[in-house]
Amino acid sequence: MTDDRPRQLARTPPMGWNSWNAFSCDVTEADIRAAADALVDTGLREAGYEYVVVDDCWMASETDSDGRLQPSADFPNGMAALADYVHDRDLKFGLYSSAGSHTCQGYPASLGRERLHAEQFAAWGVDYLKYDNCGDHAGREAVDRYAAMGEALASVDRDIVYSICEWGENAPWEWGRNVGGHLWRATDDLVAKWRANPDEFGLGIADVIDRMAAIDAAAAHGPGGWNDPDMLQIGNGPDSGQSEHEAVDVQRPLTKAERRSHFAFWCLLAAPLMIGADLTSLSTFDRELLTNERLLAIDQDSLGIQGTPDRRGDDAEVWSKRLRDGGAVAFHNRGDAEREISTHVSAVGVPAGADRYRVCDCWTGTEWETGGSLAMTVEPRDTAIVRVTPG
Ligand code: GAL
């Protein structure tokens, strides 16, 4: 292999599905097969969702005598057969481990056995590794532990996307690329709520948006290396695996406005889009949201620029993202009443100086022209998002 081979991966933010938010530690081989089938049947694969990732709890509680990971009894046909099943559907297969002695749920993990495990992953046909931060760290710094797996993955004869899950604790946007990472979690776990209680597990959607505005990591973000605000909670609620497992006080599913804001912001941030819902019971609204071509084009724009806030601090927020042929502008209402939010192309991340701009509402597809002024009426907690193209 050549040294730059891993950099050819993840040129746009990875898209796929991960088992954790829906199934938590109860995940089985049958769930993964059903998710792969559902990605095909629902049209999500056609829309670009390609990775099927098994999160924590796939492994047996003991390694073999050489320290190799072994699948649990819930994966009776083993990981190579499951990878084949996923590959046969033109999808890619991902697994999970941790840069410590154990995973977050107490299963054996990879610290000190990186090469051995990377060789197992490659032999099984793994295309994506999510690498968590739990277990005993043997006194080693995060950069050192994550570099060890990065080197191991680079040494095997297979392209494996390396997803660093260090929760943003040691500013992974500053070193994620250098240790071979293709994406790195910038925040704590996202839960299926608009806001989390400060004393409970995880962060809500609005909490993560606030955190992404605060950390100033956009400069590190781009083709081959992405800030990750965590997996999507669209389609999840009180009964989802993560909500129950982490005892999150989720009283109700996210409203449609909250789900639109969640998806609009993840696309504006050019975030990795890992669906976290049970795909066998996805609603029509959620399927249409997740396959909105105008939103996905913003997320997957080839420049790979992360959207940033232009105006915050009151209940009317404006965020924007430069795109190859113009820009995307989001108008977000944090308040309790409908309101009009306005701005001008000269105040946001759209190339200025054109006489006319074409504007397209990404929810409705409605198009119009402007000399530069932009104004949208937005429901509480909702987000209007437009694509603005000069000329
Ligand atoms: C957390 C991680 C979650 C999930 C969980 C599994 O540390 O942030 O996304 O992977 O562990 O135990």
Side-chain angles (χ1 to χ4, degrees), residues 21-86:
N21 287 347
F23 295 102
S24 158
C25 217
D26 294 329
V27 64
T28 66
E29 179 181 300
D31 295 328
I32 303 304
R33 290 177 183 236
D37 289 342
L39 280 169
V40 178
D41 296 343
T42 55
L44 287 162
R45 181 189 66 179
E46 282 311 301
Y49 296 91
E50 59 176 340
Y51 290 98
V52 177
V53 182
V54 193
D55 206 281
D56 205 344
C57 307
W58 63 265
M59 55 285 268
S61 39
E62 301 293 336
T63 64
D64 75 7
S65 55
D66 293 323
R68 287 188 194 84
L69 296 169
Q70 310 184 95
S72 81
D74 289 327
F75 292 81
N77 295 294
M79 289 305 162
L82 187 53
D84 285 347
Y85 189 91
V86 170

Side-chain angles (χ1 to χ4, degrees), residues 22 33 57 111 121 162 177 180 204 219 223 240 279 287 329 344:
R33 290 177 183 236
C57 307
L111 188 66
F121 300 147
Y162 183 24
R177 276 179 194 266
S240 305
L279 297 179
R287 181 174 49 74
V329 185
H344 192 275

Side-chain angles (χ1 to χ4, degrees), residues 40-338:
V40 178
D41 296 343
T42 55
L44 287 162
R45 181 189 66 179
E46 282 311 301
Y49 296 91
E50 59 176 340
Y51 290 98
V52 177
V53 182
V54 193
D55 206 281
D56 205 344
C57 307
W58 63 265
M59 55 285 268
S61 39
E62 301 293 336
T63 64
D64 75 7
S65 55
D66 293 323
R68 287 188 194 84
L69 296 169
Q70 310 184 95
S72 81
D74 289 327
F75 292 81
N77 295 294
M79 289 305 162
L82 187 53
D84 285 347
Y85 189 91
V86 170
H87 292 151
D88 285 347
R89 282 147 188 79
D90 280 335
L91 295 162
K92 294 186 172 140
F93 182 62
L95 278 182
Y96 163 104
S97 186
S98 184
S101 58
H102 291 85
T103 73
C104 298
Q105 306 307 321
Y107 291 93
S110 300
L111 188 66
R113 303 185 279 223
E114 293 85 358
R115 186 68 75 102
L116 187 66
H117 292 180
E119 284 168 1
Q120 284 192 279
F121 300 147
W124 285 340
V126 168
D127 307 297
Y128 183 112
L129 177 68
K130 174 174 169 180
Y131 203 46
D132 214 333
N133 197 24
C134 281
D136 187 88
H137 294 167
R140 292 167 61 181
E141 298 290 334
V143 183
D144 176 42
R145 289 180 289 112
Y146 282 92
M149 182 54 88
E151 284 165 24
L153 293 175
S155 76
V156 299
D157 189 19
R158 189 169 180 86
D159 284 344
I160 299 177
V161 169
Y162 183 24
S163 165
I164 292 172
C165 179
E166 177 267 2
W167 318 310
E169 287 193 342
N170 298 279
W173 45 91
E174 292 175 359
W175 47 265
R177 276 179 194 266
N178 289 344
V179 301
H182 300 100
L183 59 158
W184 42 83
R185 278 272 298 279
T187 66
D188 207 346
D189 290 24
L190 180 69
V191 298
K193 293 177 79 163
W194 183 246
R195 280 224 183 262
N197 304 325
D199 54 358
E200 77 175 348
F201 177 87
L203 298 174
I205 314 282
D207 304 316
V208 166
I209 295 169
D210 290 346
R211 169 115 178 113
M212 294 304 286
I215 59 176
D216 194 23
H221 183 93
W226 309 97
N227 296 318
D228 176 7
D230 204 7
M231 304 172 292
L232 297 167
Q233 290 285 9
I234 290 160
N236 290 335
D239 303 333
S240 305
Q242 183 219 32
S243 304
E244 291 187 339
H245 184 83
E246 308 286 11
V248 185
D249 178 24
V250 182
Q251 299 283 334
R252 55 163 178 82
L254 297 165
T255 65
K256 288 181 177 176
E258 291 167 345
R259 279 177 266 172
R260 269 193 295 270
S261 287
H262 181 8
F263 198 58
F265 268 93
W266 265 238
C267 291
L268 194 86
L269 291 166
L273 298 177
M274 303 302 285
I275 299 170
D278 180 351
L279 297 179
T280 63
S281 55
L282 199 65
S283 70
T284 302
F285 177 87
D286 290 339
R287 181 174 49 74
E288 289 178 355
L289 184 61
L290 292 164
T291 56
N292 180 310
E293 288 181 358
R294 290 180 285 268
L295 267 294
L296 291 174
I298 291 170
D299 183 79
Q300 297 286 301
D301 183 76
S302 61
L303 291 183
I305 292 174
Q306 179 179 308
T308 47
D310 302 299
R311 189 173 98 206
R312 303 200 83 213
D314 61 10
D315 286 343
E317 300 198 1
V318 178
W319 291 60
S320 60
K321 174 190 196 303
R322 183 82 156 77
L323 301 172
R324 181 162 282 288
D325 64 351
V329 185
F331 305 79
H332 176 48
N333 183 354
R334 284 283 177 107
D336 296 327
E338 179 185 292

